[in-house]
Amino acid sequence: MNQVAGPGDAAQRLLTLSDGVFAIALTLLVLDISVPEDLDARQYGEALRETTTQLWSYFLSFVIIAAFWREHQNIFSTVRRVGSTEIHLTLLGLALVALLPFPTSLLSDYSEHSTTVALYSANVAATEAVLMLLWHVVWSREEVRRQPGRTAVRRASVMDAAPLVVVFAAAVPVAFLSPAVAMWLWACLIPLKMATGRRAHRAWRELRRDPDGEPDQRDGGARHERRG
């Protein structure tokens, strides 16, 4: 049986642990960016140019991990207590986040290799899939949430997360055909995330502005009707 922890304490400790893991993962990304010592002017210029791929990989992973952190914060902003399912899913997600600096390092040095691009794509897709599952568990368990669920928020959150899973998962087999095409496939996310991100931001803004507004009719709405 999934035992629910006391209100607040376990959820706060889990959130604190998560913030620490995200911070460490973001910091580790930059450690591989370096220039050898004792170079003359010409060698220094060449070495600096060679860091271009490393910087590109760094910024890509920084944006992705930052997006994971923001999504994780949104999830825990709705949580008042956690059970073993939420804890295990969070730890699995953190393990995948902590792993991301490794394929990022490979991507900065071996982006032309199919295995590198496939590994990076699989890492990102798996992390987002775990976060989506955590979303589902939190929004499905009435005793976990702070307030009744909102259909609009649930729908907007899923639509914002799904493209990341679909695109990066699709890039895994594509990488074995052409690593370059797989990486261009990632670029499809830019317009998609711009559209879905605005919708999700609007839904969350409305929820925070009016937390006691119209709930999800599948759970909280029915409960409010019975009270009436």
Side-chain angles (χ1 to χ4, degrees):
M1 182 176 178
N2 187 29
Q3 298 296 324
V4 177
D9 294 340
Q12 185 57 50
R13 288 197 298 271
L14 191 59
L15 184 59
T16 300
L17 171 65
S18 301
D19 285 345
V21 172
F22 277 105
I24 292 172
L26 289 170
T27 303
L28 290 176
L29 292 176
V30 78
L31 296 184
D32 285 328
I33 304 175
S34 62
V35 174
E37 299 179 359
D38 301 325
L39 301 177
D40 58 32
R42 182 184 60 80
Q43 292 172 329
Y44 173 74
E46 292 176 354
L48 200 59
R49 284 191 294 273
E50 289 176 357
T51 63
T52 302
T53 304
Q54 294 175 329
L55 289 170
W56 174 82
S57 301
Y58 162 76
F59 282 112
L60 173 65
S61 293
F62 188 97
V63 169
I64 289 174
I65 292 178
F68 288 154
W69 174 80
R70 185 172 182 178
E71 186 175 352
H72 191 265
Q73 292 289 309
N74 282 338
I75 294 173
F76 271 78
S77 71
T78 69
V79 169
R80 62 189 178 93
R81 57 179 67 186
V82 294
S84 60
T85 302
E86 292 79 26
I87 292 173
H88 292 152
L89 284 174
T90 298
L91 292 176
L92 176 58
L94 293 178
L96 292 168
V97 168
L99 179 63
L100 194 56
F102 170 61
T104 300
S105 177
L106 294 179
L107 190 66
S108 66
D109 295 326
Y110 304 102
S111 59
E112 70 280 3
H113 289 240
S114 298
T115 305
T116 296
V117 178
L119 178 61
Y120 187 90
S121 300
N123 196 162
V124 174
T127 306
E128 185 61 87
V130 171
L131 285 174
M132 286 184 66
L133 184 56
L134 182 59
W135 266 123
H136 173 73
V137 170
V138 168
W139 284 102
S140 298
R141 299 181 63 218
E142 186 177 311
E143 72 274 17
V144 168
R145 301 193 308 267
R146 292 182 184 276
Q147 68 273 325
R150 291 276 191 91
T151 302
V153 175
R154 295 179 66 160
R155 184 182 300 116
S157 298
V158 169
M159 290 182 65
D160 188 39
L164 200 68
V165 177
V166 172
V167 170
F168 275 90
V172 174
V174 173
F176 290 100
L177 300 175
S178 172
V181 172
M183 287 188 286
W184 277 109
L185 190 60
W186 300 343
C188 296
L189 281 168
I190 297 175
L192 286 173
K193 291 292 287 184
M194 287 178 63
T196 60
R198 282 195 297 267
R199 186 176 303 172
H201 177 72
R202 184 163 55 248
W204 277 99
R205 184 176 58 195
E206 292 174 357
L207 175 64
R208 291 179 178 121
R209 185 168 52 202
D210 184 19
D212 298 320
E214 185 65 22
D216 190 333
Q217 293 299 319
R218 287 174 296 180
D219 44 43
R223 190 168 63 254
H224 283 200
E225 290 174 4
R226 288 196 297 270
R227 288 177 181 174

